[in-house]
């Protein structure tokens, strides 16, 4: 019997091979070795999770109705969780009703749903430079043409944004205006008003990602972009419980104008039908029974001490001529090494000294700055941070000898 020639299956979709995997995830895999002090991952501190409160919330979800907790649910999300999200948004100065909210499987899914709803292949999407790495992947998979908006140490430059919008006619601007990932910077209120005005005058969707806004350690609250005149009918606000409750819940949400929200619901039906029912109900019980704001206050105090410990030691750890910012909240400090240094090359030496960080280059859309690095301060105690900085200093010393 003659052998049958096998025909290979059809090729993968072009988008699946045109977007690279996250270099950040690859770096984080290298930092998981025992003994490494890592400033790399933007992870909440696990010892600060309210484990007992969350366990009680899951118990309550089953006690009230185990059948409901284990059953399919509506795509929009559990009504009581949507009501709690809406109430928290309203308390921060943004009038919101439960019907304005869609519960998602993490805010990353919220971004994916918005992208599916708004972006066609070839559409222009504007981002800050640098920006959140997973957003670049999301837009790349959608076939968008991503263009960076010029920024300074406070974020987007409105005049530059207006020029690019008029020239390129983009579909949307994606921004993390509060304690941005990776830079930790916060866009001032005056610039937020200018961005809202540009979106209204020139026709632009705004996607405002706010996973870190509750983690403010000093300074005054800055209203969301979504709360500014001109932005009401064109801003999608993305939020998450990952940084203030627990990332393992995979619970996020989006608040959007009605037509866009309805389209996002259809996209979510195609993606996963609905977010985990039991996790939603547990979160709703937690918000009803526990004092989340008191928990956030305790988390803020711990993170502020850790931020201060990192800031206090950077001068001795980094080479002379380095610079860094002082974020008022969030999880990250953004640093720049002197001319002639390369943060990616330095990482290999740092790992040999059992300390890690994230080079800044992957976060840039164009013209990466090889001297930049992102340092997260949330997952280690002040004492561990001091030791990590000593190790980083030894790395620098070894490189310069």
């Amino acid at each position: 019997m003659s052998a049958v020639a096998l025909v290979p299956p059809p090729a993968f979709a072009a988008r699946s091979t045109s977007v690279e995997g996250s270099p950040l995830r690859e770096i984080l895999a290298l930092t998981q070795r025992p003994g490494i002090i890592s400033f790399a991952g933007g992870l909440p501190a696990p010892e600060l999770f309210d484990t007992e409160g969350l366990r009680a919330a899951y118990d309550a979800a089953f006690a009230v109705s185990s059948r409901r907790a284990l059953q399919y649910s509506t795509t929009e999300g559990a009504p009581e969780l949507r009501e709690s999200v809406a109430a928290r948004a309203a308390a921060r100065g943004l009038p919101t009703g439960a019907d304005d909210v869609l519960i998602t499987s993490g805010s990353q899914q919220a971004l994916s749903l918005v992208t599916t709803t708004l972006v066609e292949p070839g559409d222009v999407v504007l981002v800050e430079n640098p920006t959140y790495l997973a957003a670049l992947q999301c837009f790349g998979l959608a076939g968008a043409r991503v263009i960076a908006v010029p920024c300074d140490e406070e974020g987007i430059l409105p005049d530059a944004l207006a020029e690019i919008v008029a020239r390129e006619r983009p579909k949307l601007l994606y921004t993390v205006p509060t304690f941005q990932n990776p830079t930790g910077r916060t866009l001032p209120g005056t610039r937020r008003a200018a961005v809202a005005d540009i979106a209204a005058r020139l026709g632009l969707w705004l996607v405002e990602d706010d996973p870190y806004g509750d983690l403010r350690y000093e300074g005054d609250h800055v209203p969301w972009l979504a709360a500014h005149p001109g932005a009401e009918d064109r801003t999608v606000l993305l939020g998450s419980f990952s940084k203030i409750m627990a990332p393992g819940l995979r619970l996020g949400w989006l608040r959007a104008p009605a037509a866009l929200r309805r389209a996002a619901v259809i996209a979510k039906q195609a993606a996963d039908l609905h977010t985990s029912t039991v996790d939603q109900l547990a979160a709703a019980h937690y918000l009803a029974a526990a004092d989340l704001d008191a928990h956030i206050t305790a988390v803020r105090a711990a993170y502020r001490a850790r931020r201060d410990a990192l800031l206090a030691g950077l001068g001795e750890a980094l080479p002379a001529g380095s610079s860094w910012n002082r974020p008022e909240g969030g999880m990250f400090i953004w640093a720049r090494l002197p001319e002639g240094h390369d943060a990616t090359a330095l990482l290999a030496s740092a790992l040999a000294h059992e300390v890690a960080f994230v080079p800044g280059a992957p976060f840039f859309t164009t013209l990466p700055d090889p001297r930049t690095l992102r340092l997260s301060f949330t997952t280690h105690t002040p004492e561990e941070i001091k030791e990590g900085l000593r190790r980083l200093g030894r790395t620098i010393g070894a490189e310069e000898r």
Side-chain angles (χ1 to χ4, degrees):
M1 185 174 179
S2 60
V4 177
L6 299 179
V7 178
F12 294 164
R15 62 180 174 271
S16 70
T17 56
S18 63
V19 177
E20 296 182 357
S22 168
L24 175 56
R25 293 293 168 184
E26 296 170 7
I27 290 169
L28 292 179
L30 294 174
T31 68
Q32 298 304 307
R33 298 200 314 259
I36 292 279
I37 294 178
S38 178
F39 301 123
L43 308 176
E47 72 275 13
L48 298 179
F49 296 156
D50 183 6
T51 307
E52 294 304 317
L54 287 170
R55 180 182 291 116
Y58 275 91
D59 289 342
F62 279 97
V64 171
S65 178
S66 59
R67 291 185 178 184
R68 182 186 175 203
L70 297 175
Q71 187 56 276
Y72 286 113
S73 185
T74 59
T75 303
E76 291 84 353
E80 54 266 62
L81 183 57
R82 296 167 71 198
E83 289 168 4
S84 292
V85 169
R88 291 184 64 80
R92 285 183 57 181
L94 183 62
T96 304
D99 289 343
D100 299 321
V101 174
L102 169 63
I103 302 298
T104 60
S105 300
S107 61
Q108 185 65 36
Q109 187 191 48
L111 177 59
S112 179
L113 296 177
V114 171
T115 303
T116 298
T117 300
L118 292 179
V119 179
E120 303 275 12
D123 280 347
V124 174
V125 169
L126 303 183
V127 299
E128 298 154 317
N129 204 31
T131 193
Y132 175 47
L133 187 56
L136 294 177
Q137 288 182 301
C138 184
F139 299 138
L141 284 169
R145 185 161 67 93
V146 180
I147 296 178
V149 178
C151 300
D152 62 11
E153 66 279 358
E154 292 188 320
I156 291 171
L157 296 168
D159 289 345
L161 172 65
E163 188 276 327
I164 291 175
V165 172
R167 184 182 74 241
E168 300 288 348
R169 309 310 303 174
K171 183 67 68 72
L172 65 86
L173 166 68
Y174 169 79
T175 175
V176 187
T178 306
F179 314 136
Q180 194 233 24
N181 182 1
T183 65
R185 65 193 176 201
T186 294
L187 190 68
T190 53
R191 294 197 192 185
R192 296 184 189 214
V195 169
D197 178 69
I198 291 165
R201 287 190 296 105
L202 300 181
L204 181 68
W205 285 103
L206 300 176
V207 180
E208 180 177 13
D209 200 353
D210 185 39
Y212 312 106
D214 284 307
L215 301 178
R216 175 172 287 280
Y217 316 130
E218 61 189 56
D220 296 327
H221 167 71
V222 184
W224 280 310
L225 272 172
H228 283 78
E232 303 95 329
D233 66 342
R234 64 194 63 238
T235 302
V236 186
L237 177 63
L238 313 182
S240 173
F241 289 108
S242 292
K243 307 303 187 294
I244 58 174
M245 197 178 289
L249 294 173
R250 301 312 303 136
L251 287 175
W253 51 270
L254 67 82
R255 177 195 183 276
L260 193 153
R261 189 180 62 258
R262 286 193 294 269
V265 168
I266 294 172
K268 183 169 172 60
Q269 288 170 350
D272 67 355
L273 298 183
H274 65 87
T275 295
S276 164
T277 308
V278 64
D279 293 328
Q280 290 190 68
L281 295 182
H285 280 288
Y286 184 85
L287 291 168
D291 189 341
L292 179 59
D293 290 324
H295 172 68
I296 293 172
T297 297
V299 170
R300 285 180 186 142
Y303 286 175
R304 176 173 182 163
R306 297 174 187 200
R307 179 207 63 175
D308 292 349
L310 186 56
L311 287 170
L314 280 176
E316 293 184 7
L318 297 182
S322 298
S323 60
W324 54 89
N325 61 351
R326 178 188 169 81
E328 294 184 332
M331 304 175 76
F332 308 111
I333 290 171
W334 186 247
R336 178 176 284 106
L337 302 173
E339 195 70 42
H341 287 74
D342 187 304
T344 301
L346 181 63
L347 176 61
S349 298
L351 289 170
H353 287 82
E354 298 190 311
V355 65
F357 55 84
V358 173
F363 297 97
F364 287 86
T365 307
T366 55
L367 299 175
D369 185 343
R371 297 181 295 153
T372 55
L373 58 150
R374 191 193 75 177
L375 298 152
S376 176
F377 49 81
T378 52
T379 50
H380 291 289
T381 65
E383 292 72 24
E384 291 168 337
I385 288 171
K386 291 175 185 177
E387 173 58 26
L389 289 170
R390 282 192 288 268
R391 296 179 188 183
L392 185 57
R394 288 197 293 269
T395 302
I396 300 292
E399 287 285 300
E400 293 181 342
R401 284 199 295 271

